[in-house]
Amino acid sequence: MKNILIIDDEINICTLLSKFLSKHGFNVDTTMTGAAALKMMKEKTFDLVLCDYRLKDTDGAQLLQDIQQINPQTIVIIITGYTDVRVAVEMVKNGAYDYLSKPLYPDEILNLVHKAFAHKESEQERMAVQPVDTGSAPEARETLLSRNQSEKNEKYVYGESDGARELIRQIKLVAPTDYSVIIFGETGTGKESVAHLIHHHSKRSSQPFVALDCGSLSKELAASELFGHEKGSFTGAINTKIGAFEQAQGGTLFLDEISNLSYDIQVAMLRVLQEKVIRRVGSLKEIPVDVRIIVASNEKLSESVQRGKFREDLFHRFNEFTIYIPPLRERREDLPLFVAAFVEQVEKELEKTCGKISPEVWKCFHQYNWPGNIRELKNIIRRACLLTPEMQEISMSALPLEMKEAFAQPVEEMPLSGELALMANDNDLKTVALQAEYNKIINVLKEVKYNKTKAAQLLNIDRKTLYNKLRLLNINY
């Protein structure tokens, strides 16, 4: 029987968690102060500690250090309020296994406790195995990568950047609720993976997760794919079909590229969300559905509403919570972790050991703008590992042509004219900023083959702003 210690200055939380975990086969002790906890740990070995970050006589960071000194093998999970999430993430980097945000949900705690013990057992089995060095420098990479794998969800890799941490925080906040969620991000940023994580951490995790790409649906097939159809309801309907809503009953329905749905289907979707019933095509029977909706788009749905492409009332139905996934170019500090995870996946796929990544390739990775984001990075790693002989260093020759060309391009000087020429001064901050802006816009335009709509999306500005900057900076394409 595993020993668990709960440290929280709220007696109700101690009582609730003690009773709940005891019912599930754990030996549980509780205390309300850090000093008492340390005394108990010196007298008894605890396998896991659930510790509130804010205690009357100490804080979680100090207590984590004290626990590690007494018994480094003890697993520590931090309990925190929303305002302390950033600190809790830092504590995970310093040795805590994970953190939980209040309000606490017993099932979530139980799942995390089981995962923590499973992770510890797997780590002990791998103790004698030397990890492969992929050339990424951060010391915390292996710990974080192991934590990613312990989630048993290979569709997503946690990051260390501020943007990644905020993304994880928002996922953990919204997952336990039943809110509809809009996920907004560029192509390749991992919108479906984020949807999977929300489902994985929700109360519906044991129920189906169904994903549907609305961008691939024709107007004629959309109703059938979403709501199903009866046999003989139209030409080619040789059998009864169960639609995505019925398939996801009790679970989560993820609709990617939602803005591509036709107006008629949007009207039907609005009724489903209001009435919580669907009708198969060719049927008059109403079928109740209990489904959580997560939608995704690589363009802002609010802008689609303004253009008249998407119904405003449907947008507000979906918009109970919005999550923005930052592009890879805004979170370059996450590159080592992503690369390490993808190399490990590719090694399993190819049954070979990949060599280190050369310093020049790392420099190229950090300089490149990644228009295809995480999906592009994964494909490049797969290509590079396939082309490079086993255990040999991955060099620039293994990278695709467009990356090598972008890396080889010299920095262009901004042609100055008019007002810009008058204020040209190498030491002038405004001139330096304009030069940097010029270089960025030129590089992005080249990457997207001078498609101004795609360039504006990559630069996170609208087309009108891009055109104004092109005129100001004397860029003629």
Side-chain angles (χ1 to χ4, degrees):
M1 185 177 290
K2 300 287 186 181
N3 294 327
I4 295 178
L5 176 61
I6 298 168
I7 314 168
D8 199 301
D9 55 12
E10 293 184 41
I11 186 63
N12 291 337
I13 289 180
C14 289
T15 303
L16 172 67
L17 293 182
S18 177
K19 289 182 178 179
F20 179 75
L21 292 172
S22 295
K23 286 181 180 178
H24 286 84
F26 297 104
N27 183 20
V28 184
D29 290 302
T30 66
T31 181
M32 299 175 65
T33 67
L38 296 175
K39 183 179 179 182
M40 293 169 69
M41 292 194 68
K42 290 176 182 177
E43 298 171 352
K44 179 179 178 180
T45 300
F46 289 95
D47 301 289
L48 184 143
V49 172
L50 280 164
C51 171
D52 191 10
Y53 175 72
R54 293 189 179 276
L55 297 169
K56 292 178 180 178
D57 61 338
T58 187
D59 61 43
Q62 181 59 53
L63 196 55
L64 174 63
Q65 293 181 15
D66 294 336
I67 291 172
Q68 289 174 331
Q69 287 181 358
I70 294 172
N71 186 356
Q73 300 303 315
T74 299
I75 301 168
V76 179
I77 296 175
I78 304 299
I79 300 172
T80 179
Y82 299 152
T83 56
D84 294 318
V85 166
R86 184 178 295 275
V87 180
V89 173
E90 286 297 319
M91 291 177 64
V92 170
K93 292 179 65 177
N94 291 330
Y97 173 75
D98 209 333
Y99 67 91
L100 289 162
S101 296
K102 295 179 180 179
L104 300 176
Y105 295 92
D107 289 341
E108 181 184 3
I109 292 172
L110 182 63
N111 288 335
L112 187 57
V113 167
H114 282 309
K115 283 193 294 185
F117 285 130
H119 170 69
K120 183 177 179 180
E121 290 172 5
S122 64
E123 283 294 294
Q124 289 172 343
E125 291 173 1
R126 293 199 300 263
M127 281 286 286
V129 180
Q130 183 69 25
V132 177
D133 184 0
T134 60
S136 52
E139 295 178 1
R141 176 175 61 82
E142 289 298 332
T143 302
L144 285 167
L145 183 56
S146 298
R147 180 181 168 218
N148 287 320
Q149 293 167 334
S150 74
E151 290 285 352
K152 298 179 181 178
N153 188 334
E154 296 180 356
K155 293 180 178 293
Y156 197 78
V157 179
Y158 291 106
E160 301 176 82
S161 65
D162 289 342
R165 291 175 182 175
E166 176 61 20
L167 175 61
I168 295 167
R169 186 185 76 86
Q170 291 188 13
I171 289 171
K172 288 202 168 190
L173 282 176
V174 77
T177 73
D178 246 351
Y179 289 0
S180 296
V181 180
I182 296 176
I183 303 174
F184 166 63
E186 294 175 7
T187 298
T189 49
K191 295 185 286 293
E192 183 170 345
S193 298
V194 170
H196 268 283
L197 271 179
I198 294 173
H199 175 74
H200 178 68
H201 288 287
S202 74
K203 292 174 283 189
R204 298 174 178 264
S205 59
S206 61
Q207 300 302 317
F209 176 92
V210 177
L212 189 64
D213 183 3
C214 300
S216 64
L217 297 179
S218 66
K219 182 179 179 180
E220 293 74 20
L221 287 177
S224 172
E225 290 294 329
L226 286 165
F227 313 125
H229 65 249
E230 296 293 341
K231 180 179 179 180
S233 56
F234 55 85
T235 303
I238 58 176
N239 292 304
T240 297
K241 176 181 175 62
I242 304 299
F245 271 91
E246 284 186 82
Q247 293 174 34
Q249 184 70 269
T252 303
L253 176 60
F254 172 65
L255 302 174
D256 198 7
E257 300 305 334
I258 187 70
S259 61
N260 289 309
L261 288 179
S262 68
Y263 188 87
D264 292 343
I265 297 299
Q266 290 180 38
V267 173
M269 181 78 72
L270 182 64
R271 182 181 179 277
V272 171
L273 296 179
Q274 289 174 337
E275 305 297 331
K276 299 189 183 302
V277 295
I278 59 110
R279 285 182 188 170
R280 296 176 188 166
V281 176
S283 172
L284 297 177
K285 181 183 176 182
E286 291 188 336
I287 302 173
V289 288
D290 173 24
V291 173
R292 182 187 194 171
I293 303 292
I294 302 176
V295 303
S297 176
N298 58 11
E299 61 180 68
K300 292 181 179 178
L301 282 183
S302 56
E303 293 180 359
S304 298
V305 171
Q306 292 173 1
R307 295 197 304 270
K309 184 181 176 182
F310 200 79
R311 286 181 62 101
E312 184 174 6
D313 47 5
L314 183 57
F315 166 70
H316 290 304
R317 281 282 179 180
F318 288 141
N319 194 30
E320 292 182 321
F321 195 88
T322 300
I323 290 179
Y324 168 68
I325 307 178
L328 186 55
R329 64 182 176 276
E330 293 180 6
R331 45 190 298 201
R332 295 179 196 272
E333 55 265 57
D334 292 332
L335 275 169
L337 184 57
F338 284 123
V339 169
F342 294 151
V343 165
E344 187 166 309
Q345 289 179 22
V346 173
E347 287 180 332
K348 292 178 181 177
E349 291 173 8
L350 301 180
E351 297 183 348
K352 64 182 285 189
T353 302
C354 301
K356 293 182 180 181
I357 294 176
S358 72
E360 189 179 22
V361 171
W362 275 114
K363 185 177 180 182
C364 177
F365 280 0
H366 283 282
Q367 179 179 306
Y368 189 55
N369 270 320
W370 299 106
N373 291 293
I374 297 172
R375 183 184 297 130
E376 182 182 16
L377 173 62
K378 183 175 183 179
N379 290 338
I380 285 172
I381 294 298
R382 296 178 76 181
R383 168 198 169 94
C385 290
L386 180 63
L387 291 175
T388 305
E390 188 163 7
M391 295 298 290
Q392 289 192 19
E393 185 177 71
I394 296 174
S395 65
M396 290 292 294
S397 62
L399 300 185
L401 181 61
E402 61 268 19
M403 280 196 76
K404 289 185 281 191
E405 288 179 343
F407 184 60
Q409 285 175 354
V411 177
E412 299 189 33
E413 289 297 319
M414 176 174 58
L416 300 176
S417 62
E419 181 185 350
L420 295 179
L422 291 175
M423 66 181 191
N425 181 343
D426 288 343
N427 295 320
D428 180 74
L429 186 60
K430 190 171 183 180
T431 304
V432 173
L434 286 170
Q435 178 69 59
E437 195 169 286
Y438 173 88
N439 294 338
K440 183 71 173 179
I441 292 174
I442 287 291
N443 288 335
V444 170
L445 282 169
K446 287 180 179 179
E447 284 184 18
V448 298
K449 297 180 173 57
Y450 307 102
N451 183 315
K452 294 183 178 65
T453 299
K454 289 185 178 179
Q457 289 177 349
L458 283 175
L459 293 165
N460 202 26
I461 58 177
D462 55 42
R463 280 174 58 90
K464 182 179 178 181
T465 302
L466 177 60
Y467 280 114
N468 289 338
K469 290 184 179 294
L470 294 179
R471 283 193 293 270
L472 173 66
L473 299 171
N474 196 25
I475 299 175
N476 298 308
Y477 287 114

